[in-house]
């Protein structure tokens, strides 16, 4: 009888240990799953932050390119001596796309053919005869369309849209004023 009792006791103890081991194993598995989920969430957050930084960097690069282009052009127009003509200035500018250069040339040729004395009669980049004396500042940037909105640094009322595209791995101006821009995007005074 004592042998039977010992045997029952051993079976009971062994089965209790197995249950405890199963409980420990389940808890350990749950902890491992939680750790893996935390690691995955951390990787997702790192990717999200990296993507946001990339978008911000690209947006900053695009905005700087647009602002430099229009403000450098305005400075050129301000020069009394040494001013470069619009076509020559755009042709020599590394931030102007090939398409912008060719479209400007086409616009100017057509205008000069139509009116040899006055040509276009206004500046095709500003789409106006006048422009802000103090230059332009950034209003906003639409990442989907690649259009940067700029306006007069001092006064309200002279807003422009500048379209940028990626050409040979670099952001360049592809549309401004009446060049490669739909009428709905032309200057709004």
């Amino acid at each position: 009888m004592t042998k039977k009792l010992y045997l029952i006791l051993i079976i009971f103890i062994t089965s209790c240990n197995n249950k405890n081991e199963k409980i420990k194993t389940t808890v350990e598995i749950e902890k491992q799953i939680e750790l893996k989920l935390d690691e995955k969430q951390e990787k997702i957050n790192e990717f999200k932050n990296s993507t946001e930084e990339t978008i911000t960097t690209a947006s900053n690069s695009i905005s700087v390119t647009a602002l430099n282009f229009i403000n450098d052009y305005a400075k050129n127009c301000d020069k009394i001596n040494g001013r470069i003509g619009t076509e020559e200035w755009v042709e020599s500018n590394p931030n102007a796309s090939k398409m912008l250069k060719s479209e400007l040339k086409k616009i100017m040729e057509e205008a000069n053919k139509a009116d040899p004395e006055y040509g276009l009669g206004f500046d095709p980049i500003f789409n106006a005869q006048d422009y802000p004396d103090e230059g332009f500042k950034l209003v906003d940037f639409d990442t989907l369309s690649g259009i940067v909105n700029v306006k007069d640094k001092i006064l309200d009322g002279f807003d422009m849209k500048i379209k940028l595209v990626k050409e040979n791995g670099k952001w360049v101006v592809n549309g401004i004023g009446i060049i490669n821009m739909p009428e709905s995007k032309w200057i709004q005074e």
Side-chain angles (χ1 to χ4, degrees), residues 15-180:
S15 72
C16 286
N17 282 341
N18 284 342
K19 284 184 181 176
N20 285 340
E21 284 178 22
K22 285 180 183 175
I23 291 172
K24 284 181 184 177
T25 304
T26 304
V27 169
E28 286 174 5
I29 290 172
E30 287 175 353
K31 284 182 182 179
Q32 287 175 352
I33 291 171
E34 283 181 37
L35 285 174
K36 294 223 184 251
L37 287 173
D38 288 344
E39 288 173 9
K40 295 283 185 198
Q41 187 61 46
E42 199 172 303
K43 286 181 181 181
I44 289 170
N45 290 339
E46 285 174 15
F47 177 76
K48 184 178 173 186
N49 291 339
S50 172
T51 303
E52 287 172 359
E53 287 174 18
T54 301
I55 290 170
T56 301
T57 301
S59 295
N60 289 342
S61 173
I62 293 168
S63 301
V64 167
T65 298
L67 281 172
N68 285 345
F69 185 91
I70 193 62
N71 285 322
D72 289 349
Y73 181 70
K75 287 176 190 171
N76 176 64
C77 291
D78 285 340
K79 292 180 183 176
I80 294 172
N81 296 321
R83 182 181 189 275
I84 302 171
T86 301
E87 283 182 84
E88 187 180 344
W89 188 89
V90 170
E91 188 62 42
S92 67
N93 192 300
N95 291 322
S97 73
K98 291 175 186 173
M99 186 178 215
L100 183 80
K101 293 173 184 181
S102 67
E103 187 64 24
L104 173 61
K105 187 175 184 169
K106 181 178 142 190
I107 288 169
M108 298 305 277
E109 285 173 357
E110 288 174 4
N112 289 331
K113 190 184 283 185
D115 188 346
E117 189 174 342
Y118 292 107
L120 199 54
F122 62 93
D123 188 295
I125 289 179
F126 293 124
N127 188 22
Q129 291 180 336
D130 297 319
Y131 55 91
D133 293 331
E134 301 300 320
F136 295 87
K137 65 181 177 181
L138 177 69
V139 175
D140 60 26
F141 169 60
D142 181 351
T143 55
L144 294 176
S145 68
I147 293 181
V148 175
N149 295 310
V150 297
K151 71 178 203 171
D152 185 326
K153 281 184 180 178
I154 306 298
L155 304 172
D156 284 336
F158 200 102
D159 300 346
M160 291 185 68
K161 297 184 183 324
I162 304 170
K163 172 111 174 114
L164 286 98
V165 296
K166 212 164 196 180
E167 187 176 89
N168 299 324
K170 178 183 171 192
W171 288 101
V172 292
V173 175
N174 193 52
I176 188 167
I178 65 165
I179 312 161
N180 287 341

